């Protein structure tokens, strides 16, 4: 037996070396195909070594999944120990009683040997059961093992099971060597019992058993090496060797994940800036367009992927039936890399990104001419969940952004919606394509002065903070409420701050993550110059994307800033006692709140506690967590420039997240980012339209919640609140003290009273509404809990109003059916109006069918375009007035005035009447300021035609000539709005297409 064991073991060893050595050389050659990595990959070797040992030996990243991590550690430790056990087996082939010098009969070493053998066996059995329990045949796409190569996993698990058990079997045989002076149960605490049960007594027999088991251990190891040597893409096995290097060469020597800043655009391992463009060769590759364009670290990432699927299990795109899976992306790139390196036909000329036919797969389709589906590339929200979860530090987001850079900068091949985004950022300095001189509109009406640099301040040295408002905070109506709330809180706390006003421009986050590096750099350089000019040192931002960019990416442009998120600063002020929430009155009913972690605040910057600490000190509220929270929070769907792209594949990400938030039973969903607020607000509105969420559920920012509690505005009513008044006709305007009728359907429980009497109540009023001293006008569905009473109150609050909405300056008449959930109700709202229409000085010209999301209105009205026009077609010069049609937006906000009536027999126009916008109007159409009714013979303003742009900005222009009276008298041209609308107009489609469509 001894001779056979020696010969067979040596033969297998030679065979393994014959296969393994060329395999390692081949793998190194493939990795060297990649370009140079950034020089920072080797800085601070001491810190890198500590990080590597922490993540491998201590399993710090594996333990994010606790029990999986624990069981994997047992197998991992046994693998390390078995490396010494296999080496010792060669000596046992010649001397069955051989032991390692010094430690061979040391009690701790022997006990560890036996217990790690047992725990390894238990661990691998547990992992085998876990894989079967979560197998794709049971869970389908929800399984994190979906798409993994199962024969490889089974092979590794089977070998690991035998290797762990072999430790106990061979030591049991050693125990039965009769003349072994250390053959006591103290030296063999576990294997001695196994030896008694399995092995007979006798010197010769047990020696042969030792020879056989030593050969068996060697054979297992050599077979394993031969198999992986023949399969260089077998990441589940190769990661045992490559993970050490992949972790050591991770992007940050500090040990943090490759999140926060995006990897700079590099050529030849050196960062490229706008100043370098003229020095680049014409054939210079920007980004990644072929496998050779990745750095060697990227190819090492692909090689190291274990196909564990943790990234896939957290990916919002994969969870909503989109083709992107970070695991399958790495796997597809790895397979293509090694096949192309081998010169396999069909891979040498294969494009990296392409569009599959209906019957092709998304990754390396057989016979296809591409490697990765373009839809997979552009589905990424750059939320960072994949990077956060990866136990071997693969940098998925950096690779995706690099591939996008090539598509944008070299191929000019990107989603059409991004075209106008880039134009808006270049021309207007903001993605909304709004005028820069409107950046300070948010501050109008505040009871204190907001100091602006260049007007009220010479530099930021004279104040504590630069308040970075951001594009959303300056232009987006819901985000403006957050901006105002933060400004008020800072003022109340005695914190001095200034703003840049019109000198502020977009940070460039969306441009960079969409792949347009040079637009980002242009915006960044402009902002950095402004910061230096006005001596900016400390910045507070309300937008998580601005916060991340200013904190992590602007340092590359030569400026160091102290950047905090507004939740961090507000939490500090509360802890210091400079802001004090007011306790609710006795017997108040509690409301429940839940918090959504913005990806760029949480995962990218590890800010989890401050927002929660603020919410937990808000009086009168109970806090409930969503199942997916903190590090495992689910994305809202707006990151990675997805805010500006259509979502036509699978389920909408924001709907998935909103459903989870609503299912907690929370009354208020709280966010810390304006992008998140837009996405979740739209999700709540869509669910409410389908009766999937209670009408009182609303989405708010942390700052709004804190401001209300500091001001003492209660969101709850005492349990003994008086009952609402019965339904009655509206009181006359001369009797403001009359009790209000019950609230309108969906009205807030605690809306403050306005100064005018209420209209008759409709169904849906709150059970706890109290009749105010000055009863409000008829409250609209979804009214805010904290709506302040305006000086000139509206006649009826629009449905869907926010908790902290500021009232409009002029009264509005009741909204018509089909109006938006969040409309500030007009006297006669027209269907099709946009959520964020802003008044201008002139009416909007008719927009051509198929107009761009971001088209700017020309000086002269455009002519009617032909059907099928491009999404981003620019309007022509010839005006063609056209009547409006139905199809208004869910979130239309009407203007204060309306043009002359279009048909005979309709009521006379009033000052409150609004113009009808285009059918299927955009979510962010900027509303014109309507003109007065046209007198006979005068021109009437033109109305927008179908297909109006999502972000069209109207400019001053002459009104289009009014149509002749004859067509206007035809009722088919512009029918009078009906009092009753079909309920189907409020229902959202099951598979929404647009960013905010329902």
């Amino acid at each position: 037996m001894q001779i056979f064991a020696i010969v067979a073991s040596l033969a297998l060893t030679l065979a393994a070396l014959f296969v393994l050595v060329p395999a390692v050389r081949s793998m190194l050659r493939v990795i060297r195909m990649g370009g140079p990595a950034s020089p920072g990959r080797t800085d601070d070797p001491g810190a890198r070594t500590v990080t590597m040992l922490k993540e491998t030996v201590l399993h710090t990243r594996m333990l994010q999944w606790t029990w999986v991590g624990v069981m994997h550690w047992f197998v991992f430790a046994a693998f390390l120990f078995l490396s010494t056990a296999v080496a010792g087996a060669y000596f046992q082939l010649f001397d069955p009683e051989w032991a390692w010098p010094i430690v061979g009969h040391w009690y701790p070493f022997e006990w560890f040997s036996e217990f790690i053998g047992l725990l390894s066996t238990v661990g691998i059995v547990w992992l085998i059961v876990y894989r079967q329990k979560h197998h794709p045949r049971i869970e389908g796409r929800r399984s994190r093992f979906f798409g993994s190569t199962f024969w490889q996993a089974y092979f590794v698990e089977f070998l690991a099971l035998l290797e762990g058990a072999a430790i106990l079997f061979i030591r049991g045989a050693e125990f039965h060597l009769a003349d072994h002076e250390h053959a006591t149960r103290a030296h063999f605490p576990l294997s001695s019992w196994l030896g008694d049960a399995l092995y007979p007594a006798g010197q010769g027999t047990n020696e042969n058993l030792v020879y056989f088991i030593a050969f068996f251990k060697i054979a297992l190891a050599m077979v394993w090496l031969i198999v992986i040597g023949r399969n260089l893409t077998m990441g589940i096995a190769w990661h045992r060797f490559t993970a050490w290097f992949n972790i050591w060469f991770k992007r940050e020597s500090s040990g943090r994940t490759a999140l926060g800043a995006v990897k700079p655009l590099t050529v030849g391992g050196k960062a490229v800036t706008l100043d370098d463009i003229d020095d680049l060769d014409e054939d210079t590759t920007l980004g990644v367009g072929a496998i050779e364009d990745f750095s060697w670290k990227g190819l090492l990432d692909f090689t190291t992927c274990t196909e564990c699927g943790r990234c896939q299990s957290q990916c919002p795109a994969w969870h909503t039936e989109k083709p992107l899976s970070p695991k399958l992306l790495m796997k597809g790139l790895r397979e293509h890399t090694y096949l192309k390196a081998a010169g396999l036909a069909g891979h040498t000329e294969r494009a990296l990104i392409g569009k599959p036919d209906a019957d092709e797969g998304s990754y390396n389709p057989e016979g296809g001419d591409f490697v990765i589906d373009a839809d997979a590339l552009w589905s990424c929200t750059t939320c960072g969940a994949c990077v956060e979860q990866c136990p071997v530090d693969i940098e998925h987001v950096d690779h995706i952004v690099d591939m996008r850079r090539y598509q944008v900068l070299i191929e000019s091949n990107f989603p059409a919606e991004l075209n106008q985004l880039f134009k808006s950022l270049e021309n207007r300095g903001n993605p909304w394509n709004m005028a820069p001189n409107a950046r300070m509109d948010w501050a109008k009406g505040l009871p204190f002065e907001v100091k602006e640099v260049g007007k009220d301040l010479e530099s930021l040295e004279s104040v504590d903070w630069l308040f970075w408002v951001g594009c959303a905070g300056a232009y987006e109506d819901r985000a403006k409420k957050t901006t105002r709330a933060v400004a008020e809180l800072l003022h109340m706390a005695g914190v001095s701050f200034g703003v840049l006003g019109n000198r502020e421009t977009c940070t460039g986050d969306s441009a960079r993550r969409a792949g347009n590096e040079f637009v980002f750099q242009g915006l960044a350089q402009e902002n950095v110059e402004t910061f230096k000019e006005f001596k900016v040192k400390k910045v507070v931002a309300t937008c998580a994307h601005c916060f991340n960019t200013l904190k992590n990416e602007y340092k590359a442009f030569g400026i160091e800033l102290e950047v905090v998120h507004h939740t961090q600063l507000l939490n500090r002020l509360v802890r210091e006692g400079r802001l004090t929430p007011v306790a609710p009155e006795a017997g108040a009913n509690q409301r429940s709140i839940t918090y959504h972690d913005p990806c760029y605040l949480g995962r990218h910057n590890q800010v989890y506690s401050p927002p929660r600490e603020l919410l937990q000190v808000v009086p009168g509220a109970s806090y409930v967590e969503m199942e997916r929270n903190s590090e495992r929070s689910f994305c809202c769907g707006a990151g990675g420039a997805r805010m500006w792209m259509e979502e036509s594949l699978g389920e909408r990400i924001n709907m998935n997240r909103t459903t989870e938030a609503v299912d907690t039973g929370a009354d208020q969903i709280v966010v810390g980012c304006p992008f998140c607020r837009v996405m979740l607000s739209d999700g709540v509105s869509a669910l409410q339209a389908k009766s999937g969420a209670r009408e009182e559920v609303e989405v708010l920012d942390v700052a709004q919640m804190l401001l209300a509690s500091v001001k003492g505005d209660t969101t709850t009513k005492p349990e003994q609140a008086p009952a609402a008044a019965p339904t009655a006709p509206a009181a006359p305007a001369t009797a403001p003290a009359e009790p209000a009728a019950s609230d309108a359907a969906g009205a807030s429980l605690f809306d403050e009273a306005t100064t005018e009497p209420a209209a008759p109540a409709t169904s849906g009023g709150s059970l706890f509404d109290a009749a105010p001293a000055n009863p409000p006008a008829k409250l609209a569905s979804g009214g805010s809990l904290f709506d302040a009473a305006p000086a000139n109150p509206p006649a009826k609050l629009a449905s869907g109003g926010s908790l902290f909405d500021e009232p409009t300056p002029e009264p509005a008449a009741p909204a018509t059916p089909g109006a938006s959930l969040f409309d500030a109700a007009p006297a006669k709202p027209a269907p099709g109006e946009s959520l964020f229409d802003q008044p201008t000085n002139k009416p909007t010209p008719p927009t051509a069918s198929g107009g761009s999301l971001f088209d700017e209105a020309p000086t002269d009205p455009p002519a009617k375009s032909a059907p099928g026009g491009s999404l981003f077609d620019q309007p022509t010069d010839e005006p063609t007035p056209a009547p409006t049609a139905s199809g208004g937006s869910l979130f239309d906000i009407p203007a204060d005035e309306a043009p002359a009536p279009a048909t005979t027999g309709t009521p006379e126009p009033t000052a409150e009447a609004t113009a009808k916008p285009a059918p299927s109007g955009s979510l962010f159409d900027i509303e014109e300021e309507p003109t007065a009714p046209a007198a006979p013979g005068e021109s009437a303003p033109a109305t927008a035609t179908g297909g109006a742009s999502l972000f069209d900005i109207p400019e001053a222009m002459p009104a289009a000539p009014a149509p002749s009276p004859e067509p206007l008298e035809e009722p088919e041209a512009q029918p009078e709005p009906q009092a009753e609308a079909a309920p189907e107009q409020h229902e959202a489609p099951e598979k929404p297409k647009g960013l905010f469509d329902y």
Side-chain angles (χ1 to χ4, degrees):
M1 182 65 198
Q2 182 181 22
I3 295 174
F4 167 79
I6 292 173
V7 172
S9 296
L10 293 177
L12 282 173
T13 302
L14 290 173
L17 290 174
F18 180 78
V19 172
L20 189 65
V21 171
V24 172
R25 295 177 62 183
S26 177
M27 179 176 289
L28 292 175
R29 184 173 63 254
V30 170
I31 293 173
R32 290 194 188 103
M33 286 172 50
S38 59
R41 296 286 180 179
T42 56
D43 64 343
D44 202 348
R48 290 182 176 278
T49 303
V50 170
T51 297
M52 178 191 69
L53 294 175
K54 247 180 13 177
E55 294 189 14
T56 53
V57 177
L58 300 183
H59 260 42
T60 52
R61 299 187 62 73
M62 282 295 301
L63 289 171
Q64 291 180 103
W65 297 50
T66 306
W67 280 108
V68 174
V70 168
M71 297 301 172
H72 188 276
W73 189 88
F74 293 153
V75 179
F76 160 81
F79 171 76
L80 293 182
F81 178 77
L82 280 172
S83 300
T84 64
V86 171
Y90 285 98
F91 295 97
Q92 287 179 312
L93 291 175
F94 300 93
D95 181 3
E97 298 183 22
W98 183 89
W100 287 103
I102 303 175
V103 299
H105 296 297
W106 187 39
Y107 284 111
F109 179 79
E110 292 182 309
W111 279 56
F112 177 79
S113 301
E114 302 218 350
F115 277 95
I116 199 60
L118 175 63
L119 293 175
S120 172
T121 304
V122 171
I124 196 62
V125 169
W126 192 94
L127 292 174
I128 290 172
V129 172
Y130 181 89
R131 183 181 294 271
Q132 296 307 309
K133 183 179 178 181
H134 298 281
H135 198 282
R137 65 171 170 267
I138 299 173
E139 297 184 350
R141 274 178 61 105
R142 292 184 296 111
S143 168
R144 67 185 177 100
F145 303 114
F146 185 96
S148 296
T149 310
F150 273 87
W151 77 262
Q152 296 179 356
Y154 294 151
F155 174 80
V156 171
E157 289 169 346
F158 180 69
L159 265 292
L161 176 63
L162 295 178
E163 288 170 350
I167 298 176
L168 296 177
F169 281 103
I170 196 169
R171 285 187 59 80
E174 291 174 4
F175 173 73
H176 271 262
L177 293 176
D179 60 349
H180 200 296
E181 61 178 313
H182 298 287
T184 64
R185 295 199 188 277
H187 286 275
F188 296 85
L190 299 176
S191 60
S192 60
W193 302 99
L194 183 65
D196 287 343
L198 297 180
Y199 302 139
Q203 180 78 12
T205 303
N206 283 288
E207 283 184 353
N208 287 330
L209 284 172
V210 170
Y211 296 144
F212 174 76
I213 297 175
F215 158 72
F216 184 73
K217 287 199 300 184
I218 294 171
L220 286 178
M222 295 307 108
V223 168
W224 186 71
L225 292 176
I226 291 171
V227 171
I228 69 170
R230 300 291 297 172
N231 295 272
L232 295 183
T233 60
M234 195 173 179
I236 193 171
W238 276 107
H239 84 277
R240 294 187 178 190
F241 305 106
T242 60
W244 305 81
F245 300 98
N246 208 54
I247 295 170
W248 199 91
F249 288 112
K250 68 190 301 183
R251 196 176 76 186
E252 304 292 338
S253 61
S254 63
R256 67 165 294 177
T257 54
L259 294 175
V262 168
K263 182 181 82 67
L265 174 65
T266 59
V267 173
K270 297 180 180 179
V272 177
T273 66
L274 282 171
D275 299 331
D276 302 323
I277 293 179
D278 294 336
D279 299 329
L280 297 177
D281 297 332
E282 292 183 359
D283 57 349
T284 299
T285 298
L286 300 175
V288 172
I291 208 68
E292 298 85 357
D293 299 331
F294 286 104
S295 70
W296 60 262
K297 175 58 171 64
L299 303 187
L300 181 60
D301 275 355
F302 309 155
T303 302
T304 307
C305 178
T306 70
E307 300 182 29
C308 67
R310 291 189 179 204
C311 56
Q312 181 174 287
S313 72
Q314 304 297 301
C315 178
W318 183 257
H319 262 278
T320 52
E321 293 81 46
K322 296 173 179 62
L324 173 62
S325 160
K327 177 185 74 177
L328 298 181
L329 180 71
M330 295 299 105
K331 179 182 173 184
L333 290 171
R334 176 175 62 200
E335 291 173 351
H336 171 65
T337 298
Y338 281 88
L339 291 173
K340 185 174 183 179
L344 188 70
H347 282 267
T348 54
E349 301 300 328
R350 180 173 284 191
L352 197 62
I353 306 298
K355 192 67 178 174
D357 295 330
D359 56 343
E360 287 184 325
S362 297
Y363 302 92
N364 276 319
E366 185 176 352
D369 58 357
F370 69 95
V371 181
I372 303 298
D373 182 358
D375 285 333
L377 178 67
W378 293 104
S379 292
C380 179
T381 65
T382 66
C383 68
C386 49
V387 179
E388 178 71 30
Q389 286 296 316
C390 183
V392 293
D393 283 311
I394 294 173
E395 299 161 3
H396 312 75
V397 173
D398 284 348
H399 303 320
I400 288 172
V401 171
D402 263 341
M403 288 188 283
R404 286 182 174 185
R405 284 167 172 163
Y406 183 86
Q407 296 298 307
V408 172
L409 300 177
I410 303 298
E411 295 290 332
S412 295
N413 185 15
F414 50 86
E417 302 96 324
L418 293 178
N419 185 48
Q420 194 61 37
L421 168 68
F422 298 150
K423 290 180 181 178
S424 300
L425 291 174
E426 286 188 83
N427 299 331
R428 296 292 188 100
N430 67 85
W432 272 269
N433 202 31
M434 297 287 285
N437 58 13
R439 277 191 176 270
M440 288 301 296
D441 288 354
W442 65 269
K444 293 179 179 178
L446 286 176
F448 56 88
E449 180 185 10
V450 176
K451 296 180 179 179
E452 186 177 348
V453 172
K455 293 183 179 179
D456 309 302
L457 299 171
E458 291 186 3
S459 76
L460 270 300
E461 290 182 318
S462 58
V463 294
D464 297 329
W465 294 90
L466 165 64
F467 181 17
W468 182 266
V469 177
C471 301
Y475 297 122
E476 204 277 324
D477 285 355
R478 286 167 284 195
K480 286 181 183 178
K481 298 181 178 70
T482 301
T483 308
R484 293 172 64 90
V486 172
E488 287 193 61
L489 287 167
L490 295 180
H491 179 74
M492 295 168 67
V495 176
S496 62
F497 66 92
V499 297
L500 294 178
N502 299 343
R503 297 174 183 267
E504 184 179 298
T505 190
C506 182
T507 60
D509 161 82
S510 293
R512 182 169 231 192
R513 280 151 185 82
N516 201 329
E517 178 71 13
F518 294 133
V519 167
F520 160 74
Q521 290 193 20
L523 295 168
Q525 288 179 3
E526 182 178 348
N527 282 323
V528 168
E529 289 173 4
T530 303
F531 291 161
K532 291 179 178 178
E533 178 184 355
F534 296 109
K535 299 178 175 62
V536 177
K537 299 297 181 183
K538 299 167 64 177
V539 182
V540 56
T542 58
C543 176
H545 297 260
C546 295
F547 164 69
N548 174 72
T549 303
L550 294 172
K551 178 182 178 182
N552 298 315
E553 297 185 338
Y554 274 28
K555 63 183 67 174
F557 296 89
I559 190 168
E560 289 289 339
L561 301 170
E562 178 188 347
V563 186
V564 299
H565 191 252
H566 71 285
T567 58
Q568 293 175 299
L569 180 57
L570 295 178
N571 187 53
R572 185 188 308 172
L573 296 175
V574 170
R575 302 301 163 189
E576 292 173 354
R578 299 170 70 177
L579 292 173
T580 305
V582 178
E585 55 191 278
N589 297 319
Q590 281 200 337
R591 69 193 185 281
S592 62
I593 56 179
T594 189
Y595 175 68
H596 163 79
D597 288 277
C599 299
Y600 275 85
L601 182 63
R603 270 190 295 267
H604 282 270
N605 289 282
Q606 304 300 302
V607 179
Y608 299 110
S609 298
R612 288 175 168 81
E613 291 173 358
L614 278 175
L615 294 176
Q616 288 165 2
V617 299
V618 171
S622 60
Y623 183 76
V624 58
E625 283 280 15
M626 285 182 260
E627 182 179 355
R628 297 176 293 190
N629 63 79
S630 302
E631 290 86 354
R632 296 198 194 182
S633 179
F634 198 72
C635 182
C636 74
R642 290 295 320 174
M643 177 80 171
W644 320 106
M645 289 185 266
E646 293 293 339
E647 190 171 350
S648 57
L649 298 175
E651 178 190 10
R652 289 175 61 90
I653 294 174
N654 68 319
M655 294 303 300
N656 186 294
R657 183 57 165 173
T658 304
T659 300
E660 180 181 10
V662 168
D663 287 347
T664 64
D667 302 307
Q668 290 155 343
I669 304 168
V670 186
V671 299
C673 173
F675 284 20
C676 296
R677 182 169 185 179
V678 167
M679 302 302 282
L680 297 185
S681 295
D682 294 343
V684 168
S685 300
L687 289 178
Q688 289 172 338
K690 296 187 291 188
S691 301
R694 293 173 291 120
E695 287 298 322
E696 57 267 29
V697 176
E698 57 184 347
V699 182
L700 303 167
D701 189 90
V702 176
Q704 293 177 273
M705 299 286 291
L706 180 62
L707 178 62
S709 63
V710 169
K711 283 185 173 181
D713 294 337
T714 179
T715 60
T716 55
K717 277 291 187 184
E719 295 180 359
Q720 301 300 324
T727 302
T734 57
E738 289 294 322
S742 56
D743 295 344
S748 170
L749 291 177
F750 305 105
D751 287 309
E752 297 185 21
T754 57
T755 56
E756 294 187 2
T762 62
S763 61
S766 171
L767 292 174
F768 298 94
D769 289 341
N774 296 314
K778 187 174 181 181
L779 295 176
S781 167
S784 170
L785 292 175
F786 290 103
D787 289 340
N792 297 313
K796 179 178 178 182
L797 296 179
S799 77
S802 170
L803 188 64
F804 299 96
D805 288 346
E806 296 294 334
T808 53
E810 295 184 16
T816 59
S820 168
L821 289 174
F822 295 95
D823 286 357
K828 279 182 150 267
E833 293 172 338
S834 170
L835 177 62
F836 299 105
D837 293 344
Q838 300 293 334
T840 56
N841 296 326
K842 295 292 181 183
T844 305
T847 307
S849 173
S852 167
L853 288 173
F854 301 90
D855 288 344
E856 298 184 22
T859 306
D860 296 321
K864 184 176 180 181
S865 67
S870 168
L871 185 62
F872 297 97
D873 290 344
Q874 297 298 324
T876 57
D877 295 327
E878 297 182 5
T880 303
T884 59
S886 61
S889 168
L890 266 178
F891 302 97
D892 295 342
I893 297 181
D896 296 326
E897 298 180 2
T903 60
T904 59
T906 57
E908 290 295 322
T910 63
E912 294 80 16
T914 57
K916 295 184 180 181
S920 303
S922 166
L923 187 62
F924 293 92
D925 286 338
I926 308 304
E927 182 180 348
E928 75 271 14
E929 182 178 356
T931 60
E938 293 183 359
S939 298
T943 55
T945 63
S949 168
L950 187 61
F951 296 93
D952 288 344
I953 309 298
E955 299 179 3
M957 65 185 67
S964 61
E966 290 76 7
L968 292 177
E969 293 178 358
E970 297 178 9
E972 294 79 13
Q974 291 191 5
E976 181 180 355
Q978 298 297 318
E980 297 182 0
E984 289 75 15
Q985 295 176 355
H986 296 277
E987 294 181 359
E990 293 184 358
K991 294 185 178 179
K993 300 295 183 182
L995 185 61
F996 300 100
D997 295 335
Y998 302 107

